Amino acid sequence: MKTVTLFELNNLVREVISSTLSEEYWVEAELSEVHEVRGHCYMELIQKELFSNTPVAKASAKCWKNKWTLLREKFEKVTREGLKPGMKVLLKVYADFHEAYGFAWIVTDINPEFTMGDMARKRQEIIDTLKREGVFELQKELVLPLFAQRIAVISSENAAGYGDFCHQLADNPQQLKFYTRLFPAVMQGEGVEESVIGALNSINENIEKFDAMVIIRGGGATSDLSGFDTLRLAENVANFPIPIITGIGHDRDESIVDMVAHTKVKTPTAAAALLIDHLNHVLERLLDAQAELIAAVRHRSELEQARLVRMSEKIPMLFSLVKTRQEQRIERHLTNITASLNDKLSREHHRLSLIENQLSPTLLQQMTKENYRLQLLQQRLEALNPQRLLQRGYSITLCKGKVVKDSRQLKAGDEIETKLANGKITSIIQ
C-alpha cells in the first residue's frame, strides 16, 4: 500500500485549490470574531440559517497588513465604525491553502457600503421598535426642572470631556451653583451597553437626589459610537424618569441614544452651557418677577398712602357727625330705658301690695301657732335641764370628761369627778 506524508497530502490539496479556485469571489458573511495581530487582521466568518442563529457555514479569513491598512481606513471613513463581531460584511476573497497553517480565505477588498446598508437597516429596526413600544418620545415629554442644579453624570472618570464639563459648570460667569456626582462607565468599545445601563441603575436608586442627568463622552473615534446604538440601552434611556442630556458624538453623528434623550448637544461643554443657560434664564425670570413685584408694591403703597391721607382729612368731620348721631342715639336709649324701668317698678310695686294684702292674715295665724309651739318646746327643755336635776339632790359622775353610766367603765386608779348642785367632788377609784 502506497502512503504519502501529511506535507505531501496538503501540498496536493494546495495545488488542487490553486488550480480550481484561481478566481476571486465576493462573499457575504457575518463576523463572529475579528482581531488584529502585528498589523494583520484575522476574521472568523459565519453564515446563519434564515430566521435562526444556527450556523450553516463557518470559515477563517485573513487580510495581510499591507492591504488591511488601506482597507481599514476606507471602511471606517464610510461607515464611521470599525470591524466588530456581529457585522454583516461583503468581502472580496481568494482561496489559500498552506501546508502548515491550513485553509483560509485571503481578503483583498471590502465593500463598506454593504455593511453601511446593513447597519442602517439594523439601526432603523431599533428605531421602529422603540416607536412601536411607544417610548421613542418619552424623554421629550419630561420638563427640565426650573432649578436643575443637582446633576448626575455618566462618563469615563479620566475623560477630558468630563473635566471640561465640571470646569464649565464651576466657572460660569453668573456664579450659579451646581452639584455634580459622577457615575463612571465605559464609553467606548463592547462594554458600553452594560456599563452605561449599570450606571443608569445606580442613579435610579438615588433618583430623588438629582434634577437631571448628562451622558458625556469627550474625544474618541467616531467608530466607537456604536455602543450607543443598541436597543437595550436606548430603552433604558427612553424610560428614565428624569431628563437626560447627551453630549457623546460629533457634529455629524447622532446615535439612537441621542435620538431618545431629552436633549442632544455636540460636546460636554455644550451640555454644561445648556444647564448654565437654563438656570440663568430662570434667574433672569426671578429678577424680572422681583422687579415687577417691587414696582407693584411701591405703586400699591403710593395708592394706599394717598387713600389714607384722604381718609385722615375726612376723619374729623366724620367723627363729629358720628359723635352727634351716637349721642342722640344714646340719649334716646336712655330715655326709653328710664321709662321702661319706671313702668316696671310701678307694676311690681302694685303686685307686691296685692301679695302683702293677701299674706297678712295668713302670716299672723301661722305666727301665733308657731309661737305657741315654741313655748311648749321651751317648757320641755326646761324640764330636761341637768341643773334642775342637781338641785333636787341628784349628782353626775364624770371620768375623763365622759358621763359614767356603768361602774364597769371604771378601774383602779381612775380619777372621777362628781358634780353636785353646788360644787364638785374629785375621787380616786381604789
Side-chain angles (χ1 to χ4, degrees), residues 304-318:
E304 292 301 321
Q305 185 67 28
R307 180 169 169 269
L308 286 173
V309 170
R310 291 195 301 271
M311 290 182 65
S312 65
E313 293 173 350
K314 293 179 180 179
I315 284 175
M317 179 182 66
L318 291 173

Side-chain angles (χ1 to χ4, degrees), residues 107 152 198 209 287-288 298 304 307 319-320 357 360 382 413 427:
V107 178
K209 297 179 181 179
L287 293 176
D288 290 343
R298 183 179 293 114
E304 292 301 321
R307 180 169 169 269
F319 179 75
S320 176
N357 293 334
S360 293
E382 186 66 26
S427 307

